[in-house]
Amino acid sequence: MIPFRDTIPSATVPVVNYGIIAANVAVFLYEVSLGRHLEAFVIAHGLVPRDFAFTNLVTSMFLHGSWFHLFGNMLYLYIFGDNVEDRLGHGRYLVVYLLCGMAAGAAQAVSDPDSRIPMVGASGAIAGVLGAYFLFFPTARVVTLVPIFLFLQVIEIPAVFFLLFWFATQFMMGVANAHAATGGVAFWAHVGGFVAGMVLGPTLRRRRPSRPEWA
C-alpha cells in the first residue's frame, strides 16, 4: 500500500517537519558526493550495534542508503508529520521525533547486539510519528494506492486500519527475521519507534487552554 495523503488538514505551517525533510535530503546529497569515501562515512555515523555509540543514535537517523529509501521515508513523514506537529507544537514535535528515533535505534541494537552492520535511516523516528498519529487522529482516512486482484485502485482507508496493518507487518517481519545474519530492513526499529510515539506523543501533547467559565 502506498499512501498519497491523509484527510486531516494542518492548521499551522509544519516548519519543523519541512526542516527535517530538508535536512534528510541535504545529508543524502552530501552522501552522494562522497564517492568512494561513503562507506567509511556510513560506518562512522551509522548505528553499529556491536560498537554502540550514543551520538550515532542521532546521526544515523539522517542517513539513507538510496534514493528509494529516502523517498519512501520522506513520503510518510510528509503525509503524517504535519498533523502530529500541529497537535504537539513545533518544539515538542522535534523532541518527540528525535526521542522516537533514538528509541528505535536502541530497540534495533538490543534485538541484534552483535551486529556489525550499520543501521541508517529515518524510518524509526517516522514510526514514532505514526504511533502518535495513530492515537491523535483515529477518525482520519488515508488516500492509498492498493493492489486489488490484478488492478491498482486509489481508495480511502481509515488511518487506524492503515497504521495497525503497517505495525503488525513490521512486528511479524521482525519475528520472522529475528535470527537473520544479513542486513536489510530494521523491523525492530520500526516497532520500537511506533511504541515510543504512542507513549511520548500523548505525554508531550500541547494542552489547549480551556474556555473561561463565567459566573
Side-chain angles (χ1 to χ4, degrees):
M1 298 190 296
I2 302 176
F4 287 153
R5 61 179 177 85
D6 68 348
T7 58
I8 304 293
S10 179
T12 60
V13 178
V15 291
V16 173
N17 205 51
Y18 289 158
I20 293 170
I21 292 172
N24 277 277
V25 173
V27 172
F28 185 75
L29 291 175
Y30 177 71
E31 289 181 63
V32 171
S33 74
L34 291 176
R36 62 187 178 88
H37 301 292
L38 174 60
E39 183 177 353
F41 180 79
V42 170
I43 292 173
H45 300 287
L47 181 64
V48 181
R50 184 67 179 268
D51 303 314
F52 185 87
F54 181 81
T55 55
N56 288 34
L57 284 174
V58 177
T59 57
S60 62
M61 72 178 79
F62 290 94
L63 306 179
H64 288 84
S66 67
W67 282 107
F68 181 79
H69 187 202
L70 175 70
F71 177 78
N73 279 347
M74 295 306 101
L75 175 64
Y76 271 73
L77 185 57
Y78 177 79
I79 292 172
F80 297 102
D82 60 336
N83 301 115
V84 177
E85 181 175 347
D86 211 19
R87 183 59 59 89
L88 291 172
H90 305 307
R92 288 186 178 91
Y93 176 69
L94 179 60
V95 170
V96 167
Y97 181 88
L98 293 174
L99 289 179
C100 286
M102 295 170 70
Q108 185 64 29
V110 169
S111 74
D112 191 8
D114 294 322
S115 175
R116 296 183 181 274
I117 301 172
M119 186 187 78
V120 300
S123 55
I126 296 168
V129 173
L130 301 184
Y133 188 103
F134 177 76
L135 295 182
F136 289 162
F137 304 100
T139 61
R141 302 177 73 85
V142 182
V143 179
T144 311
L145 182 65
V146 179
I148 301 178
F149 298 106
L150 298 178
F151 302 97
L152 293 175
Q153 299 286 334
V154 176
I155 61 175
E156 286 190 4
I157 298 176
V160 168
F161 173 79
F162 182 95
L163 296 173
L164 272 178
F165 178 81
W166 182 89
F167 178 78
T169 300
Q170 304 308 305
F171 182 83
M172 289 186 293
M173 292 299 292
V175 172
N177 291 275
H179 302 293
T182 59
V185 179
F187 294 109
W188 289 116
H190 299 169
V191 172
F194 192 93
V195 172
M198 292 183 68
V199 173
L200 292 171
T203 301
L204 296 178
R205 179 174 55 188
R206 179 169 53 187
R207 305 300 180 214
R208 300 182 183 280
S210 59
R211 294 181 178 179
E213 296 183 0
W214 301 94

